[in-house]
Amino acid sequence: STAGLWRRTLVAARPGPHKDRSFLIQAVEQEIRQLNRSAQLVRVLNSAIWLLLLAAALVYFLLQLLLEREGRFQLRQTIPPQVHAAYRPAMLARLIRIHRPGELLLSTLLDLVNRGHLGLDGHVFRCYNQQIPDYRGMAAYEIFLLNWLFQRVTQENTLSTAQIRKYALDSQRASEFSAYYQQFMILIQDELVKTGLHDPRKGRISRLIGFSTSAVYGLLAGFIGWMTWNPLALLLLFPTTLFALYGLKVRHLTGAGYDQADISRVYRKGLTHY
């Protein structure tokens, strides 16, 4: 465009009886105005990169404040006092998302022993009244675990840790173990929702906001990069990725859930050190 502008200017400046100089001068002036508008648009878009990055930081902060940590702009969800005693090791492990299958299974069994639903002799768990079990005071995932292990693994009223390990590591029954374990995890998640520690509604809202914002920033990054050829436009890919990852998160706890997660994390760290 600049080369064409200079070429037209030189042509307009040459003398000649057959040249309409006024028309050429108007064309040159029109092109100058277009170049000025293009340059102004490029300057605006370059400035918009930093404004968009600042807006992304502000939006992410508000998401953390309003949806994640339930700050002062939103009433924190409370849970009844009697529910505090219902927090189980498996639920707390799910809150901090630091666990292995063996940890969840054995911690649940040991908690049932502590509450008097199972007996323990060395490394052997004993189920009381297997024919007519008493499930009072037990969560759905605990009932599922007992039926799973004592009916699918041993089919007796005793179950050793060696039997559990052998069953979990059996390659021929790997698909069965995986299916039952996934159902066990779903029931734990349902219990977190039931006790007010997890809010699925926040997950849906966060996914919608995260994916929508990510798509907007991705389109803006492509548009500004195409218009300006400024490598700084690639910085907009950072909030694009950040909001996409935020939308993929499955951990959307309530205020009480975060409090319990913090307590559980400190408690686990103390046990590990001990």
Side-chain angles (χ1 to χ4, degrees):
S1 297
T2 304
L5 174 63
W6 279 105
R7 187 164 53 252
R8 290 185 177 88
T9 304
L10 292 175
V11 170
R14 292 176 184 174
H18 303 294
K19 297 186 181 296
D20 188 353
R21 296 185 179 182
S22 61
F23 174 77
L24 292 176
I25 291 174
Q26 291 177 1
V28 170
E29 291 176 347
Q30 178 67 20
E31 189 159 354
I32 289 175
R33 286 193 292 270
Q34 290 179 355
L35 288 175
N36 288 334
R37 286 195 293 268
S38 298
Q40 185 178 5
L41 177 61
V42 169
R43 288 194 296 269
V44 171
L45 292 177
N46 287 332
S47 301
I49 294 175
W50 304 106
L51 293 176
L52 289 171
L53 290 174
L54 180 62
L58 180 61
V59 170
Y60 190 79
F61 171 76
L62 291 176
L63 288 176
Q64 292 290 328
L65 184 66
L66 300 179
L67 289 179
E68 291 296 319
R69 291 291 177 175
E70 294 183 346
R72 60 181 179 178
F73 299 109
Q74 180 177 348
L75 295 176
R76 292 188 55 167
Q77 296 186 15
T78 57
I79 54 179
Q82 64 270 20
V83 178
H84 285 278
Y87 296 151
R88 308 301 182 207
M91 295 170 58
L92 299 179
R94 282 294 297 153
L95 287 178
I96 61 177
R97 301 179 69 179
I98 303 176
H99 58 78
R100 298 177 182 177
E103 291 178 348
L104 286 183
L105 298 180
L106 290 178
S107 64
T108 303
L109 291 174
L110 290 172
D111 184 56
L112 291 174
V113 171
N114 184 55
R115 288 154 50 197
H117 294 285
L118 290 177
L120 180 62
D121 183 11
H123 296 276
V124 178
F125 295 97
R126 184 175 67 258
C127 182
Y128 301 122
N129 301 323
Q130 187 181 15
Q131 301 300 325
I132 308 178
D134 184 7
Y135 293 139
R136 288 179 298 179
M138 297 175 61
Y141 72 92
E142 295 171 331
I143 299 173
F144 175 83
L145 180 63
L146 292 184
N147 290 326
W148 172 24
L149 295 181
F150 282 94
Q151 293 182 12
R152 299 292 300 177
V153 179
T154 177
Q155 298 180 352
E156 298 177 357
N157 65 337
T158 58
L159 176 68
S160 67
T161 55
Q163 287 176 299
I164 298 176
R165 178 178 176 83
K166 181 179 179 181
Y167 169 70
L169 298 179
D170 188 353
S171 59
Q172 296 181 352
R173 306 179 71 179
S175 59
E176 175 186 317
F177 178 85
S178 177
Y180 277 95
Y181 183 73
Q182 289 301 321
Q183 183 62 36
F184 176 66
M185 296 288 285
I186 292 173
L187 291 174
I188 293 178
Q189 194 69 27
D190 292 342
E191 191 67 19
L192 292 176
V193 175
K194 178 181 175 182
T195 53
L197 300 179
H198 187 275
D199 187 0
R201 181 178 58 88
K202 289 171 59 177
R204 292 189 292 269
I205 295 175
S206 296
R207 280 191 291 272
L208 177 61
I209 295 176
F211 291 144
S212 301
T213 310
S214 177
V216 169
Y217 269 88
L219 293 174
L220 288 174
F223 174 74
I224 294 176
W226 176 67
M227 291 293 296
T228 64
W229 290 96
N230 188 349
L232 290 178
L234 295 176
L235 292 176
L236 295 177
L237 295 179
F238 176 74
T240 301
T241 306
L242 179 66
F243 285 112
L245 293 176
Y246 179 82
L248 290 173
K249 288 174 59 179
V250 295
R251 184 172 183 260
H252 299 284
L253 307 179
T254 62
Y258 274 107
D259 291 341
Q260 290 299 319
D262 293 337
I263 295 173
S264 303
R265 195 174 292 107
V266 173
Y267 184 62
R268 180 186 175 90
K269 183 178 179 181
L271 286 178
T272 304
H273 177 72
Y274 176 79

